[in-house]
Amino acid sequence: MNGFVASGVTEFPIVLLETDVGITGVGTGSHRDLAHIFPAIEGQDPRAVSALYDRMLAQVFKSGHGGATFGGIGTFDMALWDIKAKALGEPLWRLLGARDKFVPGYASGLDIALDDDALSGFYSMMAERGYTAGKLKGGRDHEDDIRRLKLVEDALSVNARKPGLMLDANESWNLKQAERFMAKIENELDLAWIEEPLRRWDAAGHARLSRSIRAAVATGENLTGLEQYSPLFDEGGIDIVQVGSVWGITHFLRVAHAAHSRNLPVSPVGLTLNPALAAAAAAVPNHLTAEVQDVNAPFGVTIDQEFIDGGIVVGDTPGVGVSIDEEAIASQATTHAGWLAPGGPHVRSERAGLRLVGE
């Protein structure tokens, strides 16, 4: 299990992409390598989003588009889609071909640092908004995880006789640890999925695990490029195809269609960083459910969406539905360590996958 931001406050990177016709695109997700990537789209017609996405990948051909650089591409990609939809006067969900503005979702408290009372409180609040499924972070002690999963189940049971339960291990196990841990969990609970049980590249291990447990195996949020999914697809190592929202809209669409060709459902992760991904999820045929971590917008940001009825209702504002109050942000600008903190959620726990006993 990885760490957490003790303050509860973290960064929300924003990019404003200006055009010569007065339309400004809003992109969120990452500030990494923007200066390196920008020449690929500078002076280009922003409506050619798919072609410009490939142009950005080509721009970093030698250094590679993996890792944080992929986040910078995703942020520009969101801004380009925003410009295109605004130019056409359409909300993104309609531009992408969605019929319905409602996107099914599940509650996710990022809850490793919450005590039991706070855990119950969060999922009770989400239950009031109609959610019927919830995800717990865990993987170190099966007794703690079972107890806490039952708290999530109790909170959400006002909306469903058997709420959906998921466990996120954040790549903290090796294969046999995962099999043993899941045997103990599944002896008492029926999980919808186990998320990131093994290292993201272990396609063969994921396939073996999927065959040995009842729960679906969900992974993919840390894969930076469509090509990285191929081994998992080929080995049969992925049951729920996840896509990190920070990587952008075009990446999500391409992964979703690749998954659909294999009769697999897709589920976007962390929509707080790219709220526009809900609109993209509404437009693909195999969307299962989207992670809802927070029902509040970041400071200085307005998002045209509602968290009701156990999902997300995207709005009708042209573009991606995100507006920025630059003056408010500038007036209240503060610096937080956030994800840069040594014990933050970006750091893999020491001895992960190498522990003989639980913690």
Side-chain angles (χ1 to χ4, degrees):
M1 185 59 241
N2 55 8
F4 58 92
V5 178
S7 69
V9 179
T10 189
E11 302 87 354
F12 185 76
I14 300 167
V15 169
L16 301 180
L17 194 60
E18 298 178 346
T19 68
D20 57 5
V21 295
I23 300 174
T24 298
V26 178
T28 63
S30 174
H31 284 161
R32 293 296 294 271
D33 277 355
L34 297 182
H36 190 186
I37 301 164
F38 183 65
I41 61 175
E42 186 176 15
Q44 300 294 312
D45 187 330
R47 294 170 296 182
V49 183
S50 184
L52 292 180
Y53 181 80
D54 289 322
R55 192 176 172 90
M56 288 189 283
L57 294 179
Q59 183 71 19
V60 293
F61 168 66
K62 280 294 185 181
S63 59
H65 63 253
T69 299
F70 201 59
I73 292 173
T75 302
F76 276 144
D77 179 67
M78 175 180 165
L80 290 169
W81 278 110
D82 190 32
I83 292 169
K84 182 170 184 172
K86 285 175 176 174
L88 294 171
E90 294 276 16
L92 181 63
W93 63 270
R94 189 174 294 283
L95 173 64
L96 293 176
R99 181 184 63 85
D100 193 343
K101 298 193 296 180
F102 178 75
V103 180
Y106 66 91
S108 178
L110 303 178
D111 41 45
I112 195 67
L114 301 182
D115 63 23
D116 288 358
D117 288 341
L119 182 76
S120 295
F122 173 82
Y123 286 99
S124 293
M125 179 270 292
M126 297 301 281
E128 292 174 358
R129 291 176 178 265
Y131 288 87
T132 58
K135 186 170 74 181
L136 181 81
K137 284 188 176 289
R140 288 192 174 180
D141 184 279
H142 73 275
E143 292 180 346
D144 280 347
D145 287 350
I146 290 170
R147 186 190 75 255
R148 287 165 68 83
L149 281 165
K150 288 180 177 179
L151 292 176
V152 175
E153 184 177 45
D154 287 345
L156 297 175
S157 63
V158 297
N159 299 324
R161 187 174 60 84
K162 293 293 293 183
L165 298 175
M166 305 84 137
L167 181 66
D168 185 357
N170 280 120
E171 302 186 27
S172 62
W173 299 325
N174 61 44
L175 174 60
K176 286 300 182 180
Q177 285 175 328
E179 288 179 332
R180 291 170 58 213
F181 202 102
M182 286 299 295
K184 294 171 183 175
I185 295 288
E186 292 189 325
N187 190 48
E188 298 199 34
L189 292 167
D190 184 32
L191 291 186
W193 75 60
I194 177 64
E195 182 168 325
E196 291 194 316
L198 310 174
R199 296 316 306 268
R200 65 200 71 169
W201 50 77
D202 187 2
H206 280 92
R208 287 177 59 187
L209 179 63
S210 178
R211 291 192 294 267
S212 69
I213 63 177
R214 298 195 309 268
V217 170
T219 192
E221 70 171 280
N222 288 314
L223 299 182
T224 52
L226 177 60
E227 70 284 351
Q228 294 185 10
Y229 287 83
S230 294
L232 287 158
F233 288 148
D234 293 343
E235 291 280 352
I238 185 168
D239 302 309
I240 308 294
V241 181
Q242 295 184 307
V243 186
S245 67
V246 71
W247 311 131
I249 294 165
T250 299
H251 172 66
F252 170 78
L253 293 172
R254 292 183 177 185
V255 173
H257 291 137
H260 186 51
S261 74
R262 294 163 173 85
N263 297 309
L264 294 172
V266 68
S267 178
V269 175
L271 300 196
T272 301
L273 287 174
N274 188 334
L277 214 62
V284 298
N286 54 332
H287 175 256
L288 177 65
T289 184
E291 182 178 38
V292 177
Q293 300 171 341
D294 194 346
V295 298
N296 301 303
F299 178 79
V301 178
T302 301
I303 304 171
D304 187 10
Q305 62 184 13
E306 292 183 273
F307 298 98
I308 57 174
D309 299 330
I312 308 162
V313 179
V314 291
D316 292 320
T317 301
V320 299
V322 178
S323 57
I324 308 298
D325 188 336
E326 295 183 63
E327 291 185 4
I329 293 173
S331 69
Q332 298 291 329
T334 56
T335 301
H336 297 277
W339 280 55
L340 301 179
H346 62 296
V347 179
R348 189 169 188 244
S349 175
E350 289 188 35
R351 304 291 296 170
L354 298 173
R355 299 184 181 95
L356 285 177
V357 297
E359 293 185 4

